[in-house]
Amino acid sequence: MYVQITAGHQVTYQGAVFSGGQVLRNVSAEAAQVWISQGIATAFTPPRTADTTFEDGWGNYA
């Protein structure tokens, strides 16, 4: 799923560091739920365009 890191926070995911405001794609539901419950991130829905109408099995637009 997509999540957006909350301003002022930082997370390490799959060996990379992400800062507030960044949007991560293909985050596991387990990790996303922990971050959301801790206020570190929020669920993010990207805008739908003609190029992003296909959703893959992870719920991400391909």
Side-chain angles (χ1 to χ4, degrees):
M1 68 182 291
Y2 284 88
V3 295
Q4 184 169 25
I5 306 304
T6 306
H9 289 276
Q10 192 174 55
V11 298
T12 301
Y13 186 67
Q14 297 183 340
V17 178
F18 301 94
S19 299
Q22 287 188 287
V23 175
L24 283 68
R25 177 183 164 153
N26 288 337
V27 174
S28 70
E30 294 82 10
Q33 196 59 45
V34 169
W35 296 344
I36 291 167
S37 68
Q38 295 175 347
I40 296 171
T42 56
F44 181 81
T45 303
R48 285 185 174 256
T49 67
D51 298 324
T52 60
T53 54
F54 174 80
E55 289 188 37
D56 63 17
W58 293 93
N60 295 311
Y61 303 114

